Amino acid sequence: MINFLVTDTGVELEYAGDLGTNNQWIWENLKKDNEARVSSAFSVISADLLNPPSATQDFEVYRYRFQLGHFEDDYVRIPGRILNSKNDVLISRDVKLKRSIFVAERNVSIFGRLSELIENSDPILIGGNGADAIPWDVFEELLKKFPNTYELNRYADARVHTILSQYLDGMKDARGRYESYLNKKATLTTAKALDLDALKKLEIEKYVLIRDLIQDALATKTNWSEGDWQKLMLSFLLLLFPKYIKVLENVTIHDYYTNPGRKTNRYIDIALIDSNGNLDVIEVKKPFEDKILRKSQYRGNSIPTSELSGSIMQAEKYLFHLSKWGVRGETTLTAKYASELPADMTIRISNPKAIIIVGRDQIGGANMTGSQLLDFEVIKRKYANMMDIITYDDLLRRLNNTIAALGGDPGTRTAL
């Protein structure tokens, strides 16, 4: 989390990791390389740090404060090196600073990109009354024009479609969908006022499409393997869990405990990386019925099936081996997946958690009773390392609730 603190002489950048996470890696990078990249946007050096940590510093609560820029007349001057730019940047004091002014989606440096298009090394002025300043409303329009992740993915699909459509039949009209998206985006960005209804409509369409794909698969793909279900869910995991920015498949981790004295490789089918580099695990199982709670009770209580207990145990073991692997694991995984991650991002194994998607809300051909659902909820909350245990029916309910909350009709279907 970052904050911009205005002082008498300039602006400071305050950075703290997410709640409960350790941000010591910044200090270690500064000591080792005299440089660190904060929030995937700001390149700082040791001299920028205003409050060096003590020898006994608790980094879970520590907040870094860096000198971002100094006031110069009616502007705050930010050194270009901090923004990956050859040009210093002067931003009007009237502008309220926020991260989105400096970095676009996929951690693209906005001023770094502008700097590449400028032949001289003169400062870039934003807002205010300075000569050659870019008016603030023009700069805001520029920010809207930076392509987002959805647009880039649509563009990639369109390029693939253009190349392969002459050889393969039955391909979705990816190019048409991309152009349709651009048309919608143009309609949104040309309006002065933000059209929230149009944005909500796009969000509704997204969730309806995901729900319908899952619903149709549950109805028609009963013979699918676990791998098939994983492939389906992989296509929209980042949309279902937006805190994550990257999906990693078949991640090799090291187990030093099962066979003491030698290393054993274990393989995580799917791992998720959040925007701070933290790694979590997700287990996607088949949507079988009767795989959550046993039909028979124990002293009036529903208890988990061996399938559910086994899935939880498998995830717990992955988390155990990840935590024991520690810094060595972080270094190994970062090096292996560096080409797939944003620049300068480091994978962090910091109290990893797991999500499990498994089974149906059905026992013996009937939906779970209220008592059974309550027992299932108790089971889910019992495991501290399980971020969530979700059935496919629960996932559909969540999607329907999201669609309804956005003003859509949960009963509406999209053409697949």
Side-chain angles (χ1 to χ4, degrees), residues 276-406:
N276 291 316
N278 297 305
L279 182 145
D280 290 318
V281 174
I282 184 165
E283 286 287 308
V284 177
K285 301 297 184 181
K286 296 180 68 173
F288 284 136
E289 298 178 10
D290 301 327
K291 293 299 182 181
I292 301 298
L293 301 177
R294 296 184 184 181
K295 295 179 182 179
S296 59
Q297 294 186 329
Y298 176 76
R299 295 186 177 181
N301 298 303
S302 298
I303 57 177
T305 63
S306 58
E307 176 86 8
L308 178 57
S309 297
S311 298
I312 294 172
M313 186 61 185
Q314 183 181 21
E316 289 276 14
K317 289 288 286 291
Y318 288 149
L319 300 180
F320 172 81
H321 293 309
L322 278 170
S323 297
K324 293 298 182 182
W325 201 12
V327 175
R328 283 188 298 174
E330 292 178 344
T331 303
T332 300
L333 293 176
T334 299
K336 181 175 181 179
Y337 295 104
S339 62
E340 301 180 37
L341 299 172
D344 301 322
M345 174 173 277
T346 300
I347 291 179
R348 299 294 172 192
I349 302 174
S350 177
N351 194 23
K353 303 293 184 182
I355 301 170
I356 298 177
I357 302 176
V358 60
R360 304 291 302 270
D361 285 1
Q362 297 172 7
I363 300 176
N367 292 332
M368 287 188 191
T369 65
S371 175
Q372 289 169 331
L373 288 171
L374 175 60
D375 287 348
F376 180 38
E377 191 64 31
V378 171
I379 292 168
K380 289 197 290 185
R381 294 173 183 270
K382 173 184 175 183
Y383 298 95
N385 289 328
M386 297 298 109
M387 196 182 308
D388 208 347
I389 302 173
I390 311 169
T391 67
Y392 285 86
D393 297 287
D394 187 24
L395 186 56
L396 291 176
R397 283 193 296 271
R398 296 184 189 191
L399 288 168
N400 280 331
N401 288 339
T402 301
I403 293 166
L406 290 170

Side-chain angles (χ1 to χ4, degrees), residues 6 76 91-98 101 126-128 136 139:
V6 179
V76 56
I91 301 179
S92 171
R93 291 200 198 189
D94 296 331
V95 174
K96 183 177 181 180
L97 298 182
K98 52 187 177 180
I101 291 175
I126 305 297
W136 175 245
F139 185 74

Side-chain angles (χ1 to χ4, degrees), residues 131-331:
D132 301 323
I134 300 173
W136 175 245
D137 58 343
V138 174
F139 185 74
E140 281 188 307
E141 188 67 22
L142 170 68
L143 297 181
K144 296 175 185 177
K145 296 293 186 181
F146 267 82
N148 57 36
T149 299
Y150 182 81
E151 181 177 345
L152 292 172
N153 289 340
R154 281 280 188 248
Y155 173 72
D157 289 346
R159 291 291 301 273
V160 172
H161 180 273
T162 300
I163 296 170
L164 297 183
S165 58
Q166 57 185 312
Y167 302 104
L168 300 177
D169 294 329
M171 293 189 70
K172 294 180 179 178
D173 186 8
R175 183 173 181 177
R177 291 163 67 186
Y178 174 61
E179 292 175 352
S180 174
Y181 171 77
L182 289 183
N183 290 335
K184 290 179 181 178
K185 184 179 179 184
T187 301
L188 288 172
T189 55
T190 53
K192 270 293 182 185
L194 185 62
D195 189 348
L196 292 179
D197 289 338
L199 290 176
K200 285 183 178 180
K201 184 177 179 181
L202 291 175
E203 286 291 288
I204 291 169
E205 290 176 358
K206 174 180 73 177
Y207 289 117
V208 167
L209 176 61
I210 295 172
R211 182 205 59 193
D212 290 350
L213 286 170
I214 296 174
Q215 216 164 39
D216 285 359
L218 289 172
T220 63
K221 308 298 183 183
T222 55
N223 61 335
W224 267 10
S225 67
E226 184 174 296
D228 292 327
W229 282 100
Q230 289 176 352
K231 289 177 183 176
L232 172 68
M233 300 302 292
L234 275 172
S235 61
F236 41 74
L237 280 177
L238 298 184
L239 297 176
L240 290 173
F241 306 103
K243 68 171 286 189
Y244 298 104
I245 63 169
K246 183 65 181 177
V247 176
L248 303 179
E249 298 181 66
N250 198 31
V251 178
T252 303
I253 63 174
H254 296 166
D255 167 9
Y256 296 94
Y257 289 83
T258 301
N259 296 300
R262 70 184 183 90
K263 177 183 70 178
T264 303
N265 287 337
R266 303 293 178 192
Y267 303 94
I268 300 174
D269 290 334
I270 306 172
L272 300 173
I273 306 295
D274 71 14
S275 56
N276 291 316
N278 297 305
L279 182 145
D280 290 318
V281 174
I282 184 165
E283 286 287 308
V284 177
K285 301 297 184 181
K286 296 180 68 173
F288 284 136
E289 298 178 10
D290 301 327
K291 293 299 182 181
I292 301 298
L293 301 177
R294 296 184 184 181
K295 295 179 182 179
S296 59
Q297 294 186 329
Y298 176 76
R299 295 186 177 181
N301 298 303
S302 298
I303 57 177
T305 63
S306 58
E307 176 86 8
L308 178 57
S309 297
S311 298
I312 294 172
M313 186 61 185
Q314 183 181 21
E316 289 276 14
K317 289 288 286 291
Y318 288 149
L319 300 180
F320 172 81
H321 293 309
L322 278 170
S323 297
K324 293 298 182 182
W325 201 12
V327 175
R328 283 188 298 174
E330 292 178 344
T331 303

Side-chain angles (χ1 to χ4, degrees), residues 80-150:
R81 62 170 175 79
I82 294 180
L83 304 177
N84 194 31
S85 164
K86 70 177 184 294
N87 307 78
D88 286 354
V89 175
L90 276 70
I91 301 179
S92 171
R93 291 200 198 189
D94 296 331
V95 174
K96 183 177 181 180
L97 298 182
K98 52 187 177 180
R99 185 178 183 274
S100 59
I101 291 175
F102 301 97
V103 61
E105 289 204 34
R106 297 193 177 183
N107 297 319
V108 174
S109 171
I110 290 172
F111 290 104
R113 186 61 59 86
L114 290 179
S115 179
E116 292 175 1
L117 302 175
I118 299 174
E119 294 182 348
N120 58 54
S121 57
D122 296 340
I124 300 172
L125 274 67
I126 305 297
N129 299 316
D132 301 323
I134 300 173
W136 175 245
D137 58 343
V138 174
F139 185 74
E140 281 188 307
E141 188 67 22
L142 170 68
L143 297 181
K144 296 175 185 177
K145 296 293 186 181
F146 267 82
N148 57 36
T149 299
Y150 182 81

Side-chain angles (χ1 to χ4, degrees), residues 15-17 21-27 59-64:
Y15 175 79
T21 61
N22 188 315
N23 58 17
Q24 187 174 358
W25 64 271
I26 294 179
W27 178 236
F59 282 92
E60 290 192 3
V61 297
Y62 174 62
R63 292 174 176 268
Y64 293 89

